[in-house]
Amino acid sequence: MTDDFDYQRAFSRNIGWITESEQHLLKAKRVAIAGLGGVGGAHLLTLTRLGIGHFTLSDFDTFDIENFNRQVGAKISSLGRPKLDTLVEMALDINPDLDIKTLPEGVSPDNVEDFLSGVDVYVDGLDFFVMPVRRAVFAACHRLGIPVTTAAPLGLSTALLNFMPGKMSFEEYFRVEGQEEAEQYLRFFVGLAPARLQQGYLVDPARIDVVAQKGPSTMMACDLCAGVAASQVLKILLKRGKVLAAPWGLQFDAYHNRLSKTWRPGGNNHPLQRLAIAVGKRQLMGMNRPASAPAKPFTPRTPAEKVLDMARWAPSGDNTQPWRFELLDEKRFVIHGSDTRDTVVYDLDGRPSQLALGTLLESVDIAASAQGLKAQVTTRSDADERTPTFDVALHAADAVTPDPLAPYLPVRTAQRRAMSSRPLTQAEKHALEACLPAGYRIRWFEGWEGRWQAARLMFANAKVRLTMPEAYPVHRDIIDWERQFSDDRIPEGAVGTDPVTGKLMRWAMGSWERVRFLNRYFLGTLPPRIQLELIPGLRCAAHMALVAPAPPATLEDNLGAGRAVQRFWLTATRLGLCLQPEMTPLIFARYLREGRTFTHAQDVVSRAQRCRDQFDQLLGEAADKAVFMGRLGESALPPSRSTRPGLDSLLVKPSPPESAGG
Ligand SMILES: Cc1cc2nc3c(=O)[nH]c(=O)nc-3n(C[C@H](O)[C@H](O)[C@H](O)COP(=O)(O)O)c2cc1C
């Protein structure tokens, strides 16, 4: 095999950007890389393809599944294997003539001189959290006159620093000497990327776990790092182009489309850096709390578990999830439904809960199809209206094709914030109408006039909700304050208010008296109504009403409507559109139509009556057949959303058989 290899031909396509003589020079050089994880592995392969002939490599770690997102050596065949062996094999597979010296015990202050012996450039590939080793390696390079290049993967960016012989050292730049461990890491972080271009798009800050020394990472950043670092190696070894040395730094961010060159004389002693460290201390150190041990995710194994694990992402009013599951065997289970009529003023007839159960049943069908199975659902006829119960059997059936909506089950989510007002295209509207079960249709409220009418209705209706004493405990209990994700409620981040209004709302929710006080003297309903209804009601592509073939009357009618809702919502998600339900005007209009008492406040009844007139006018002949309303539009997925408990938490034990006599 090695006979097939010809260095000159293998790397001949480098020639042009470098000369043949320069290529030979690169072949003669030795590059040291400590750490062969995210950046180190990519550095090795990039430099191998550049034609570097000699490497000194160190890494004592083995590959784990969590390395798959970014480490070039992490693959099924290398799971559990030493990173060093794997990367050496990969590099030799590109250039079998490579001369590689390895330190399988990893680099340490004791062997750093040996590690750097004969090395022309050191490229840093060490993990972020190995400060003592990093300091020892950088100090030795400085002492031995070895250039160092370090490219840090931050978000979707690379932040470059070179430490050149005779110039500023690592210690002079980062100034970590004598600092506590946590502050050393903060200083390292702040010094790596003075431009901080990666800030502003971290969507889940809780994923930075200072205690567990873990943080989010991307392959793109590692690839950018490899390209930038190898370019430095080329320039340093061939004495080509200008090499920026610390205190100069360079960061390119592919997310913000920005490049920033920074100059921080004095390194972390520079006033801007001191400020950044002070701010960082407040922010980062706040995270330095023991992270609660994340629950071990439940791994579904049987077909029934796999189907339910996907279906549990079905939507329900206020994320109440009025269902529990009883597993009977690998392909059979029972869905125990419930409703919230005793506690939720929006669910007095259990209909929204039944609608949610319909979305669940549709999700079961879709998830089963992804397993090549068909779900046979039987509604138990003896179950109480408040506890609908379903027996589900999964059957292997010929010609079951996976529903293309299946991948979107866990993606679909409510988007309560403003969306793009780009109108829906004919193709989008057609797809949204075509996905519905027979007999269902959509009424669209589009254009400025249509959106204004719907937004006005929502704005007026929100006053009904916010001034109704019966709705107060519902609102108080469903918001999970100061949370980005919530398994059983709506996290504050997903509500759609700005932080100030959010704080005010939280204070007001302390008691109904506070709500009344704000409403009466400070127009308390205005900020949330403007932020949650009026603005997003106008900033969307369209509002819609899902219209059933006939006014729904039975459980099966409501389940069917729920199925249609889920198909519509998933189809929107598949099209890259987000959706926000707007159910309450419809619910109050129905209560009034059916003469149901839902509040004892007479002023609220009159307000609701006016909303009903508005609703009837908007919907026309479809008013009593509308089963769902919402607004939709193009939007990124919201970073904050309701989540679900693991399937294991939604399982109930089989009910004991009834005694013969009873
Ligand atoms: C029948 C039904 C009615 C809903 N009504 C509303 C509503 O009026 N306002 C709202 O903000 N969300 C509404 N939702 C959305 C739920 O709050 C949301 O689906 C739930 O919190 C789960 O979050 P997710 O959809 O982001 O997974 C409704 C959902 C369903 C299924």
Side-chain angles (χ1 to χ4, degrees):
M1 288 295 277
T2 315
D3 289 347
D4 294 337
F5 182 73
D6 174 347
Y7 179 94
Q8 246 158 302
R9 282 181 55 210
F11 304 119
S12 60
R13 296 294 289 271
N14 290 333
I15 311 303
W17 296 114
I18 58 172
T19 66
E20 288 202 22
S21 316
E22 286 176 325
Q23 184 72 72
H24 283 294
L25 188 56
L26 292 178
K27 186 181 178 187
K29 297 293 181 184
R30 177 173 293 276
V31 175
I33 306 172
L36 294 170
V39 284
H43 289 331
L44 175 65
L45 300 190
T46 306
L47 290 166
T48 299
R49 294 194 191 279
L50 179 61
I52 299 292
H54 308 265
F55 288 103
T56 302
L57 307 174
S58 75
D59 198 315
F60 60 82
D61 202 8
T62 51
F63 278 116
D64 183 12
I65 189 87
E66 286 190 6
N67 303 144
F68 273 44
N69 79 314
R70 70 195 181 286
Q71 304 198 7
V72 287
K75 21 189 190 154
I76 294 295
S77 59
S78 63
L79 258 180
R81 287 194 64 209
K83 293 183 179 177
L84 186 61
D85 295 357
T86 307
L87 265 300
V88 166
E89 277 171 24
M90 289 170 80
L92 286 172
D93 216 10
I94 297 166
N95 178 356
D97 295 346
L98 278 180
D99 161 33
I100 305 181
K101 179 177 155 186
T102 57
L103 277 78
E105 71 279 22
V107 71
S108 69
D110 298 334
N111 63 11
V112 67
E113 302 267 340
D114 178 32
F115 174 67
L116 291 172
S117 133
V119 164
D120 296 292
V121 181
Y122 167 66
V123 184
D124 195 26
L126 288 168
D127 194 78
F128 183 83
F129 292 103
V130 288
M131 191 56 85
V133 175
R134 178 174 272 113
R135 287 179 67 195
V137 178
F138 277 68
C141 287
H142 192 65
R143 203 167 53 243
L144 298 167
I146 298 172
V148 178
T149 183
T150 166
L154 300 167
L156 273 60
S157 85
T158 175
L160 170 79
L161 285 174
N162 293 316
F163 291 92
M164 300 300 286
K167 299 263 171 80
M168 192 175 224
S169 70
F170 179 93
E171 192 49 55
E172 287 161 346
Y173 181 83
F174 286 105
R175 300 194 179 254
V176 292
E177 176 87 57
Q179 304 293 341
E180 289 201 350
E181 193 192 6
E183 169 128 12
Q184 287 194 6
Y185 287 117
L186 173 62
R187 284 172 169 256
F188 183 50
F189 182 73
V190 168
L192 274 176
R196 297 198 297 282
L197 296 186
Q198 79 282 1
Q199 281 199 341
Y201 57 92
L202 178 68
V203 286
D204 186 356
R207 296 290 164 151
I208 300 178
D209 190 338
V210 182
V211 175
Q213 305 202 328
K214 269 188 185 176
S217 56
T218 71
M219 185 71 224
M220 296 78 82
C222 294
D223 279 343
L224 287 172
C225 286
V228 169
S231 304
Q232 308 307 303
V233 172
L234 179 150
K235 296 201 301 177
I236 292 167
L237 292 178
L238 301 181
K239 305 194 188 312
R240 294 252 320 249
K242 186 172 174 189
V243 175
L244 291 179
W248 285 97
L250 192 71
Q251 188 177 7
F252 170 65
D253 187 282
Y255 186 92
H256 286 310
N257 310 316
R258 281 186 64 196
L259 176 72
S260 177
K261 206 159 124 183
T262 47
W263 186 53
R264 295 288 186 273
N268 274 340
N269 256 3
H270 187 279
L272 286 176
Q273 294 301 99
R274 282 166 177 250
L275 183 68
I277 290 168
V279 173
K281 248 189 218 165
R282 295 241 307 270
Q283 289 175 344
L284 213 70
M285 301 299 173
M287 296 177 185
N288 201 358
R289 55 188 145 58
S292 54
K296 203 163 172 285
F298 175 85
T299 310
R301 300 197 190 279
T302 65
E305 287 172 357
K306 286 181 183 166
V307 166
L308 287 172
D309 194 48
M310 293 296 275
R312 80 195 153 97
W313 286 98
S316 52
D318 299 337
N319 201 21
T320 44
Q321 302 160 68
W323 45 68
R324 288 296 177 268
F325 310 120
E326 180 186 336
L327 289 168
L328 297 180
D329 61 33
E330 295 209 338
K331 288 193 177 163
R332 288 188 313 131
F333 54 89
V334 183
I335 297 173
H336 296 279
S338 56
D339 67 35
T340 54
R341 69 181 73 193
D342 292 336
T343 49
V344 178
V345 68
Y346 306 117
D347 198 27
L348 294 178
D349 51 9
R351 255 215 230 176
S353 290
Q354 293 175 2
L355 217 61
L357 277 163
T359 73
L360 177 75
L361 294 180
E362 189 63 25
S363 305
V364 165
D365 274 4
I366 295 172
S369 79
Q371 301 292 320
L373 298 167
K374 205 165 165 31
Q376 188 195 327
V377 180
T378 316
T379 308
R380 277 195 198 163
S381 52
D382 57 348
D384 186 273
E385 192 205 20
R386 292 166 168 231
T387 54
T389 308
F390 310 93
D391 292 292
V392 184
L394 303 171
H395 294 293
D398 288 342
V400 175
T401 49
D403 192 314
L405 297 176
Y408 297 94
L409 286 168
V411 181
R412 180 219 52 78
T413 185
Q415 169 57 297
R416 296 185 179 82
R417 292 178 190 266
M419 301 178 260
S420 160
S421 42
R422 167 183 77 71
L424 298 178
T425 63
Q426 282 307 321
E428 285 168 339
K429 283 169 65 178
H430 177 74
L432 287 163
E433 287 163 4
C435 75
L436 298 173
Y440 285 86
R441 63 193 161 95
I442 302 293
R443 280 284 308 268
W444 298 105
F445 307 103
E446 297 176 283
W448 168 256
E449 181 58 24
R451 282 180 290 148
W452 169 244
Q453 292 302 340
R456 254 188 63 212
L457 169 62
M458 291 308 296
F459 182 71
N461 177 76
K463 188 158 184 184
V464 177
R465 290 193 296 114
L466 296 173
T467 53
M468 184 193 294
E470 290 81 358
Y472 160 73
V474 181
H475 299 164
R476 182 194 57 200
D477 295 342
I478 59 161
I479 303 178
D480 209 348
W481 297 102
E482 292 183 1
R483 295 283 305 273
Q484 185 176 359
F485 302 105
S486 177
D487 273 355
D488 55 1
R489 281 174 284 165
I490 299 177
E492 184 183 354
V495 171
T497 48
D498 66 38
V500 176
T501 310
K503 283 221 158 40
L504 194 68
M505 266 170 64
R506 186 175 186 183
W507 176 83
M509 289 296 168
S511 73
W512 173 242
E513 277 61 45
R514 286 185 191 176
V515 177
R516 273 220 329 224
F517 171 77
L518 276 185
N519 286 353
R520 180 167 307 166
Y521 299 108
F522 292 96
L523 301 173
T525 65
L526 261 187
R529 286 163 70 212
I530 293 172
Q531 275 177 41
L532 304 183
E533 312 293 348
L534 198 62
I535 294 176
L538 293 171
R539 287 184 54 197
C540 63
H543 296 251
M544 48 73 64
L546 176 67
V547 184
T554 63
L555 168 67
E556 290 304 324
D557 290 345
N558 295 325
L559 296 173
R563 283 177 174 274
V565 168
Q566 181 68 332
R567 290 209 75 80
F568 182 86
W569 203 338
L570 287 170
T571 303
T573 310
R574 190 179 175 211
L575 293 169
L577 302 168
C578 282
L579 182 136
Q580 167 56 22
E582 299 177 318
M583 286 294 284
T584 46
L586 194 147
I587 292 169
F588 292 139
R590 190 178 69 241
Y591 286 168
L592 288 168
R593 195 164 48 244
E594 293 173 357
R596 185 180 294 277
T597 305
F598 56 96
T599 177
H600 295 289
Q602 266 322 302
D603 56 332
V604 178
V605 175
S606 328
R607 218 168 269 140
Q609 190 57 56
R610 287 196 294 277
C611 280
R612 181 195 168 184
D613 295 343
Q614 243 177 294
F615 175 84
D616 285 351
Q617 216 172 12
L618 190 68
L619 274 288
E621 51 73 40
D624 61 346
K625 295 195 280 286
V627 288
F628 182 83
M629 262 189 84
R631 60 175 180 260
L632 70 169
E634 201 173 38
S635 157
L637 293 169
S640 172
R641 65 163 295 173
S642 296
T643 44
R644 307 289 187 273
L647 178 60
D648 43 345
S649 309
L650 296 171
L651 295 178
V652 290
K653 297 260 174 292
S655 34
E658 289 186 16
S659 64

